[in-house]
Amino acid sequence: MWCVTEFASALGIKQRTGQITEADGLAAWQRFERLCANDLQLLPIEPSTFHRAAVLTLDAAAGLRAGDSLHLAAALDAKAKSIATLDEVLAKNARRMKLRLAIR
């Protein structure tokens, strides 16, 4: 469910900073909800995944922020083979963990 919160946060930031209109934000949210309904498997986050994310965040050389480390930890715990991201730091760390990049 974290990606849902992250997407909503990104839309809110874009609206508050004037990068998109409220109508654009609503349209993007509706498209995202359709994607979630059809193509996205949402998994609960276990306490051990939060701990794994914390350990990833503690690695200063990795440069991961909390949200990105949680995405990565969740993918690793779910035994994902790939991850979708546009974030360079997350992409670098995903490759380091042997995950393929679905998009970049």
Side-chain angles (χ1 to χ4, degrees):
M1 295 297 292
W2 180 257
C3 70
V4 176
T5 305
E6 282 282 290
F7 190 79
S9 174
L11 286 177
I13 290 168
K14 297 262 185 213
Q15 286 181 46
R16 285 191 302 275
T17 59
Q19 296 177 55
I20 62 173
T21 65
E22 185 176 345
D24 289 339
L26 180 59
W29 180 253
Q30 290 170 343
R31 285 192 304 271
F32 180 73
E33 284 188 316
R34 283 193 300 275
L35 171 71
C36 289
N38 297 320
D39 297 325
L40 186 65
Q41 181 183 6
L42 299 176
L43 302 171
I45 303 296
E46 300 296 328
S48 60
T49 304
F50 283 102
H51 183 265
R52 187 175 198 171
V55 171
L56 290 169
T57 304
L58 285 170
D59 178 2
L64 286 165
R65 296 183 325 244
D68 291 336
S69 67
L70 186 55
H71 281 286
L72 184 55
L76 293 168
D77 285 356
K79 309 248 185 295
K81 292 180 175 35
S82 62
I83 192 168
T85 185
L86 298 174
D87 183 273
E88 290 295 324
V89 174
L90 180 54
K92 175 189 79 164
N93 282 279
R95 285 190 300 268
R96 188 170 59 93
M97 299 288 179
K98 308 297 187 221
L99 289 172
R100 283 185 296 110
L101 297 179
I103 61 172
R104 233 177 118 278

